[in-house]
Amino acid sequence: MAGRSQEFRVLQVGNFKMGGETMGLLFLPAASHQKRAFMEIPPLKVFIIYAHEDRAYKEDLLKSLKLLRKQGLVEAWYDRDLLAGDDWEKVILAHLQSAHLILPIISTDFFNSDFIEQVEIVEAFQRYEKGEAHILPIIARPCRWMDDPHISKLQALPEDGRPIARWESRDDAFESVYDGIKAKILGIYAGWVAAADATYRISDFEKEKEKANVLAAAKFDDLKILEGIGPKIERILKEGGINTWAELAITSVDRLRELLYMAGPRYHIHDTSSWSIQAKFAAEGQWEKLKEYQDILMRGRN
């Protein structure tokens, strides 16, 4: 895994509109996979858990998240977004259950909230344990958070888990929080890209394997499995005494051109230069090499 972490690094993040929704662009290194230059990444859903006594810290956190929101990286939700008439507990749980990143604002009041303790943090850690969400605690005020069996095992912000209230500059504290959240988000994105690329590679491998199996299962000495040879050209070759892969493998390009020339003007444009090479691979049962060579031929035509 250590080797792959460098392969799937984030080169650039931007944003654009698609169907009214802001999407992030995560660019991949050119060497990662030539067939894809970028992935369209939706913003991470962020859920903030906080005690109402820490409302001021929540507001400052939202200011930090706004910069990330402008970059198309996040969309944040908290209980202030509830609408009149909403079943507030049901709505909160619905957003919590769809969040990618959960930000609990930690203080003594956080630990003294029954709803946080019995509902929100329970759901958050159930999803965390299943690998469905990430949790990044933000230590707002001094408290014995290291004694909590759940929160204590997580990396906390600001830097070194130092409470925001103890920083000489509140701006410096939230700059540390911002940097930590952005680093976490890019790490999550990189994980998504790695998983998507692995799936993509597996899919490509299966397709290539299937093609090789089809070639290997072809009727022995079927000239039509060779790129550039169809039923009519196969008939021309057989009328010229070339009936097998082995016979075609030792036939010169000039002899093949002569046969096509004699067959009529419509066959003059066909390129015969690869036929004997392909036939040699087929005659020797080198199906992977045949497939690779045919792929090269196809790319040269596109």
Side-chain angles (χ1 to χ4, degrees), residues 2-296:
R4 294 181 68 83
S5 63
Q6 294 182 353
E7 183 179 0
F8 298 105
R9 54 196 172 89
V10 176
L11 293 189
Q12 181 179 348
V13 175
N15 65 75
F16 69 105
K17 292 286 185 179
M18 176 176 285
E21 182 180 5
T22 300
M23 308 286 285
L25 287 182
L26 193 81
F27 289 77
L28 303 180
S32 174
H33 208 296
Q34 295 293 340
K35 294 184 180 179
R36 284 191 326 186
F38 62 86
M39 282 184 63
E40 298 168 1
I41 305 286
L44 255 68
K45 294 181 179 179
V46 177
F47 187 93
I48 302 172
I49 302 177
Y50 72 103
H52 285 188
E53 291 83 357
D54 295 318
R55 188 178 295 109
Y57 292 95
K58 180 262 297 179
E59 293 298 330
D60 283 340
L61 175 58
L62 287 173
K63 293 176 185 176
S64 294
L65 293 178
K66 188 171 184 179
L67 290 173
L68 297 173
R69 196 159 59 243
K70 286 182 177 179
Q71 297 174 62
L73 297 178
V74 302
E75 59 180 34
W77 194 91
Y78 62 103
D79 61 3
R80 188 81 172 271
D81 291 331
L82 287 166
L83 301 175
D86 281 345
D87 182 334
W88 63 273
E89 183 172 345
K90 184 177 181 180
V91 173
I92 286 175
L93 279 175
H95 282 279
L96 182 54
Q97 289 166 355
S98 65
H100 303 110
L101 179 60
I102 300 167
L103 303 177
I105 298 178
I106 307 300
S107 69
T108 300
D109 289 303
F110 175 92
F111 291 114
N112 283 324
S113 167
D114 290 339
F115 186 71
I116 290 176
E117 179 185 11
Q118 297 171 15
V119 180
E120 290 180 304
I121 208 66
V122 171
E123 179 65 29
F125 272 94
Q126 284 180 348
R127 298 194 63 231
Y128 171 79
E129 295 295 342
K130 294 177 182 177
E132 297 173 348
H134 300 261
I135 302 177
L136 194 55
I138 297 169
I139 313 303
R141 294 184 284 140
C143 60
R144 298 299 184 186
W145 65 275
M146 288 299 293
D147 289 341
D148 183 87
H150 300 298
I151 301 296
S152 62
K153 62 185 179 181
L154 301 174
Q155 182 67 41
L157 296 174
E159 187 177 356
D160 299 326
R162 181 182 172 191
I164 294 171
R166 285 188 173 167
W167 284 63
E168 291 183 9
S169 167
R170 195 178 180 99
D171 288 342
D172 288 345
F174 273 98
E175 183 177 6
S176 175
V177 170
Y178 172 88
D179 290 342
I181 293 174
K182 185 171 184 178
K184 184 70 173 179
I185 289 170
L186 295 183
I188 294 171
Y189 275 169
W192 286 359
V193 172
D197 199 85
T199 301
Y200 183 82
R201 289 168 185 262
I202 291 171
S203 175
D204 254 19
F205 173 77
E206 290 299 331
K207 288 178 182 177
E208 291 172 359
K209 183 178 177 182
E210 180 181 356
K211 183 176 179 181
N213 289 339
V214 169
L215 291 173
K219 183 180 178 181
F220 191 73
D221 283 329
D222 181 358
L223 300 182
K224 296 189 298 298
I225 71 167
L226 308 182
E227 189 64 38
I229 299 179
K232 292 182 179 179
I233 291 181
E234 181 185 42
R235 186 175 65 252
I236 293 170
L237 295 177
K238 288 187 174 182
E239 289 174 353
I242 303 171
N243 296 287
T244 67
W245 296 325
E247 289 172 347
L248 179 54
I250 60 174
T251 303
S252 69
V253 173
D254 288 341
R255 172 57 179 161
L256 294 173
R257 287 174 180 167
E258 181 184 0
L259 290 173
L260 294 185
Y261 183 82
M262 293 169 57
R266 63 183 297 184
Y267 298 105
H268 295 178
I269 61 172
H270 290 274
D271 182 2
T272 64
S273 60
S274 70
W275 294 359
S276 61
I277 299 174
Q278 293 183 68
K280 183 176 185 295
F281 288 140
E284 295 175 352
Q286 298 188 61
W287 305 114
E288 285 290 340
K289 287 187 177 180
L290 174 58
K291 178 192 66 62
E292 290 172 3
Y293 186 63
Q294 289 180 338
D295 286 344
I296 292 172

